[in-house]
Amino acid sequence: MKYQTVVGLEIHVELKTQSKMFCSCSTAFGGQPNSQCCPVCLGMPGALPVINRRAVELAIKTGLALNCKISEYNTMDRKNYFYPDLPKAYQTTQQYHPICKDGYLDIEIDGKKKRIGITRIHLEEDAGKLIHDTDNSRSLIDYNRAGVPLIEIVTEPHIGSSDEAVAFLDELRKILLYLEVSDCKMQEGSLRCDVNLSIKPQGQTKLGTRTEMKNLNSFRAVQRAIKNEAQRQKTVLEAGGEVLQETRRWDDLKDESIAMREKHEADDYRYFQDPDLMPFLIDSNMIEDIKNNMPELPAQKRERFVSEYGLPEYDAGILTSSREMADFFELSVKLYDEKKGAKAAKTVSNWLMGELMRLTKELGVELQDLKLSPSLLVGLLKLIDQGVISGSMAKDVFDEMCQSGKEPDKIVEEKGFRQISDIDQLRDIVREVIQENPKSISDYKAGKKKAFGYLVGQTMKKTKGKANPQLVNKILQDEINK
Ligand code: ADP
Ligand code: MG
Ligand code: ZN
């Protein structure tokens, strides 16, 4: 029997606010344990929470980018459970009136568009962090993260494979970065993903029983977990067994999931509206304000790069992978050629996709970490256009420029890279080469085209690679045909 995989994701995103969800403690990552807490986020009796307006704004911004309806009436609710990292013994979340609902995100998979429904986005707070000190058989608790603002984005079960899940997360992450809603550092836990997965016979509409794998913290883990869990469920069903609704833990090292606990019913949490926080209203002015300040989103930018600069879709995809890269590209094209000719755009694109990507990968850094600027890049391109340096010299200059931030013509001067474009000087050298290689000349005249390349090579060698290759070609042709 053929089975279909059905996946719904719950994504937790730490919001990029200065202070926590309900108090003024700092949200900075990596501080001394328990140095960023107060009576509110430690759940002391009598301490009262105040909602962070910035967090509300960031949630709305995300909802708008994901085509959601923004709720006018909002409540904060208590989800009651005891855990050492949750000193209040309840998490403040939005169970009954989430801030955003009924949205979608379009992804592209194998050149085809697919729409993934967004069920809801709600505001909540993060818990503290347990550190298991196994050497001393004890566990330590750091409450710095307790009360950090989160949004949880819940998708409809519209995702059909591990590739679709990764495409969705990748596009979502780009959007969140463009919006500056979160820094999305999966390794620091600011973007975490739960995978709900079931399988069903191909064509059947009724969904199968799902399992849930919590807190996956890399795209690779999501990919592996989905493949592996779909296969596990299939094996269970084919053996005549039944998939249990349960929470499973994904073990990245062992590459398998382990059953943790059977799924509790939602009302085990005794949800109720938090009496310490008044319901809050979002008015249309606030939504309009946020709408008017939305940046261009990755999908729009991709389309515009194709239509405005005549770039291939592939280039547009890579150049818009971050806002920094996209801005760098546009500024460079503008500096290089005011008319924004397609040729200028493609030249800049080639350098960014080729040399820049190679160098950032080699050095393990981002564009922002290099000293490269649009004006330095364009300076280099102009030196190539003017024939001052060759394409291959330019690559050396590029590397040096990215790391030192020196002007390209200065580097050319220092390294003695200047290309020889003086026709008389080159003609003398070419004549020497011809005299020294009578055999190649007769070979060439006898129809051996390869001999010509050899003569060009000899000329380049004599000039230590500094001769302008186009000129050498031309002069050599003239001299042989004389
Ligand atoms: P809970 O909060 O209890 O985890 P929800 O019912 O809100 O549960 O669902 C959470 C996620 O599980 C959503 O992303 C949803 O799309 C997904 N989901 C629900 N049912 C299934 C199913 N049968 N198979 C796969 N995913 C599912
Ligand atoms: Mg869940
Ligand atoms: Zn606090």
Side-chain angles (χ1 to χ4, degrees):
M1 175 130 43
K2 274 207 70 114
Y3 288 96
Q4 261 176 306
T5 302
V6 176
V7 171
L9 300 175
E10 295 166 273
I11 301 128
H12 286 93
V13 182
E14 273 183 8
L15 298 176
K16 214 171 169 174
T17 54
Q18 299 277 316
S19 58
K20 292 188 181 178
M21 190 69 217
F22 303 111
C23 60
S24 56
C25 293
S26 164
T27 57
F29 181 82
Q32 274 292 316
N34 298 310
S35 63
Q36 295 159 209
C37 341
C38 73
V40 172
C41 54
L42 290 176
M44 300 289 181
L48 286 174
V50 176
I51 197 161
N52 182 333
R53 184 189 170 94
R54 184 80 190 127
V56 174
E57 286 168 359
L58 294 179
I60 297 173
K61 216 171 169 186
T62 309
L64 291 172
L66 298 179
N67 310 291
C68 292
K69 298 192 186 79
I70 310 301
S71 309
E72 191 188 355
Y73 181 79
N74 284 266
T75 58
M76 299 304 304
D77 309 303
R78 290 187 182 180
K79 178 182 184 178
N80 298 284
Y81 66 98
F82 171 77
Y83 204 69
D85 63 10
L86 190 74
K88 297 188 295 186
Y90 61 84
Q91 180 192 31
T92 310
T93 178
Q94 289 190 299
Q95 176 69 5
Y96 299 117
H97 298 280
I99 188 161
C100 314
K101 281 184 294 213
D102 301 333
Y104 63 85
L105 174 60
D106 289 333
I107 57 167
E108 206 169 288
I109 198 89
D110 299 328
K112 270 194 249 138
K113 260 208 178 129
K114 179 162 179 185
R115 181 158 292 184
I116 308 295
I118 307 285
T119 316
R120 55 192 267 148
I121 304 176
H122 58 259
L123 278 163
E124 58 186 34
E125 57 179 339
D126 215 341
K129 211 183 272 176
L130 280 172
I131 297 132
H132 300 295
D133 175 12
T134 42
D135 289 348
N136 299 301
S137 329
R138 60 180 182 174
S139 288
L140 303 164
I141 311 178
D142 177 5
Y143 287 119
N144 284 354
R145 201 178 66 180
V148 166
L150 291 178
I151 46 174
E152 178 174 339
I153 303 169
V154 182
T155 79
E156 290 290 304
H158 289 168
I159 296 165
S161 67
S162 56
D163 287 347
E164 285 182 18
V166 170
F168 178 86
L169 287 171
D170 190 45
E171 189 67 15
L172 177 66
R173 184 169 171 274
K174 264 185 238 167
I175 292 175
L176 296 169
L177 287 171
Y178 266 57
L179 295 175
E180 297 177 309
V181 156
S182 171
D183 60 21
C184 295
K185 289 188 180 148
M186 292 189 90
Q187 67 287 5
E188 290 181 6
S190 58
L191 181 74
R192 322 191 284 268
C193 179
D194 302 348
V195 171
N196 297 273
L197 186 150
S198 64
I199 61 170
K200 59 174 189 183
Q202 192 98 43
Q204 177 183 303
T205 38
K206 189 172 173 289
L207 296 184
T209 305
R210 74 178 145 124
T211 60
E212 181 169 3
M213 290 176 285
K214 286 206 173 282
N215 286 333
L216 295 160
N217 59 5
S218 72
F219 285 8
R220 204 194 85 93
V222 170
Q223 178 122 38
R224 296 292 316 147
I226 291 177
K227 282 210 168 118
N228 187 292
E229 177 61 9
Q231 186 54 49
R232 188 193 68 84
Q233 292 187 12
K234 191 170 169 225
T235 311
V236 169
L237 292 184
E238 280 176 345
E242 203 182 323
V243 173
L244 298 177
Q245 179 163 346
E246 62 191 0
T247 303
R248 302 180 67 86
R249 188 171 62 81
W250 174 252
D251 188 324
D252 221 11
L253 295 175
K254 292 205 185 112
D255 208 39
E256 64 181 21
S257 67
I258 301 127
M260 274 165 72
R261 57 167 192 254
E262 273 206 55
K263 177 85 183 174
H264 298 281
E265 286 305 311
D267 36 356
D268 276 355
Y269 291 116
R270 303 293 194 276
Y271 285 103
F272 64 89
Q273 194 185 313
D274 192 325
D276 286 346
L277 287 155
M278 293 296 284
F280 61 98
L281 300 178
I282 295 170
D283 68 13
S284 52
N285 286 338
M286 183 171 181
I287 299 174
E288 270 320 297
D289 258 8
I290 295 172
K291 242 186 211 158
N292 293 334
N293 288 303
M294 293 278 276
E296 187 179 31
L297 294 175
Q300 299 165 322
K301 224 188 252 298
R302 271 198 304 271
E303 270 173 37
R304 183 169 64 78
F305 275 23
V306 171
S307 61
E308 186 173 333
Y309 297 104
L311 287 175
E313 302 231 350
Y314 178 78
D315 293 42
I318 291 186
L319 295 173
T320 56
S321 59
S322 73
R323 241 170 111 169
E324 288 82 6
M325 180 77 130
D327 290 348
F328 192 101
F329 166 79
E330 291 205 278
L331 266 173
S332 304
V333 174
K334 209 164 156 204
L335 276 177
Y336 189 31
D337 176 5
E338 274 296 344
K339 294 185 289 293
K340 292 192 196 158
K343 201 160 158 258
K346 185 62 184 142
T347 304
V348 172
S349 169
N350 287 347
W351 274 84
L352 295 182
M353 292 200 319
E355 295 310 303
L356 179 68
M357 300 278 267
R358 172 190 56 76
L359 190 65
T360 48
K361 209 165 156 193
E362 258 172 42
L363 301 174
V365 298
E366 305 280 333
L367 167 62
Q368 305 87 278
D369 303 323
L370 294 173
K371 298 211 168 105
L372 187 67
S373 66
S375 81
L376 288 180
L377 176 64
V378 170
L380 182 66
L381 297 181
K382 289 190 169 160
L383 289 181
I384 303 171
D385 291 348
Q386 292 155 5
V388 176
I389 49 172
S390 69
S392 62
M393 289 171 181
K395 289 180 183 174
D396 288 336
V397 178
F398 180 81
D399 282 20
E400 159 101 38
M401 192 168 82
C402 286
Q403 297 189 56
S404 68
K406 273 189 202 160
E407 294 289 335
D409 45 4
K410 204 152 171 226
I411 299 172
V412 168
E413 220 53 72
E414 278 174 12
K415 298 213 165 196
F417 270 167
R418 196 164 280 277
Q419 183 166 255
I420 305 172
S421 295
D422 182 291
I423 298 194
D424 293 331
Q425 191 185 347
L426 281 180
R427 188 175 291 117
D428 289 345
I429 300 167
V430 167
R431 281 180 180 156
E432 258 175 53
V433 170
I434 290 176
Q435 235 158 31
E436 287 163 10
N437 295 282
K439 173 123 189 355
S440 298
I441 301 292
S442 52
D443 283 354
Y444 178 68
K445 286 188 170 159
K448 279 195 190 158
K449 291 273 175 277
K450 257 168 73 185
F452 190 80
Y454 175 77
L455 293 166
V456 174
Q458 290 303 303
T459 313
M460 295 307 286
K461 203 167 156 193
K462 264 192 194 288
T463 60
K464 299 198 172 70
K466 288 188 208 164
N468 177 328
Q470 281 89 29
L471 276 181
V472 171
N473 262 284
K474 193 175 165 302
I475 296 169
L476 195 55
Q477 203 83 56
D478 290 351
E479 289 297 313
I480 294 176
N481 293 339
K482 255 189 186 164

